[in-house]
Amino acid sequence: MGKPSVFVTRRWPNAVESRLSETYDTTFNRQDRALTPTELKEALIKYDAILPTVTDSLNAEVLDVASPKTRFLGNFGVGYSHICEESARALGLTVTNTPGVLSECTADLTIMLMLMVARRAGEGERELRSGKWSGWAPTHMVGTKVSGKRLGIIGFGRIGQEVARRAHHGFGMNVVVYNRSAISSKALAECGARQVDTLDELIPQCDFLSLHCPGGSSNRHLINAERLRLMNRDAYIINTARGEVIDEFALAEALEDGSIGGAALDVFEGEPIINASLLECGKTVLLPHLGSATLETRQAMGFRVIENLDDFFEGREPRDRVI
Ligand code: 8YV
């Protein structure tokens, strides 16, 4: 039997591409752009395995293929809400993700965003670069203190826990958590956190609210106009999870009418297209989905995809199977 044919939808770090090519008959998309639905459909007919990323919307329409050759989708990333679970199951596809390896870097970036928005780092840098800074003054660009404040975390999986640990041990923050399922008391104790039962109980008591739950239809607009109204007027929201978790129009309104202090966002509902009000607003810090964007982590993600691919084609249960 020849080598399984594997299609990689985006460019990967060199070391991982080389390792992949040693074992598999690999084809890489070299176009530096996301694939179209038609191209994704073609790939499903042509290759034994596809290794997609968050930019490949493998929705019900794309997965509506009569007899795909593809049996395995190895997602490069932990979030897989861009893959329609029902359709993938109907086609008998095995789907894996890359948990764990990106938790630290995503948590680091979350803390960075929290500091940036509270300490007005983006605004300050823009002012300085535009030549408008007229010098130090006691009331110039004063922000909000982070140390010792209360951080609310929505979703206490691996990334949420890494954020809680950093916030508690590094900044003496008081961490409160909302998670759909029960959390072990050990995990909570490790970061001095306590759990509350409802979002509506969590939100009003936070100075900072950070999102770490999955995206997809079940969490779409979990943070809507009503929940934004529960936030304190000087509280900040941070999103390194998925764009669709926040209703961006409601968020833009809440920022505009001063019902919240600011927002720091790494993910967007229609990325890479960004809501114009969020772009114009001085109280936002906006990053282009950089959560896992370090060489170390992107390599680790790639190697983790390959481990899952090896498991599958060598007849083992893939270690990170999600579907
Ligand atoms: C990835 C992410 O870079 O892993 C995730 O869920 O959000 C990012 O860190 C992206 O998903 C790549 O597919």
Side-chain angles (χ1 to χ4, degrees), residues 71-75 77-78 80 83 85 88-99 158 304-305 307-309 311-313 315-323:
R71 289 182 294 139
F72 179 86
L73 299 178
N75 186 50
V78 66
Y80 56 95
I83 301 172
E85 210 163 321
R89 275 186 213 288
L91 288 182
L93 298 175
T94 295
V95 182
T96 62
N97 70 347
T98 63
R158 293 179 183 84
R304 190 70 175 231
V305 176
E307 283 170 0
N308 277 289
L309 195 61
D311 285 342
F312 182 77
F313 284 106
R316 297 182 295 273
E317 174 72 4
R319 58 202 69 194
D320 302 313
R321 182 172 185 171
V322 287
I323 298 175

Side-chain angles (χ1 to χ4, degrees), residues 57-76:
S57 184
L58 289 154
N59 54 29
E61 206 178 293
V62 169
L63 291 179
D64 184 17
V65 173
S67 43
K69 186 173 183 203
T70 300
R71 289 182 294 139
F72 179 86
L73 299 178
N75 186 50
F76 185 94

Side-chain angles (χ1 to χ4, degrees), residues 68-123:
K69 186 173 183 203
T70 300
R71 289 182 294 139
F72 179 86
L73 299 178
N75 186 50
F76 185 94
V78 66
Y80 56 95
S81 54
H82 52 286
I83 301 172
C84 173
E85 210 163 321
E86 207 186 325
S87 308
R89 275 186 213 288
L91 288 182
L93 298 175
T94 295
V95 182
T96 62
N97 70 347
T98 63
V101 292
L102 45 75
S103 308
E104 290 185 338
C105 279
T106 306
D108 291 352
L109 189 112
T110 304
I111 298 289
M112 184 183 89
L113 281 174
M114 177 168 65
L115 290 167
M116 282 182 77
V117 71
R119 300 301 304 273
R120 303 177 65 179
E123 275 179 90

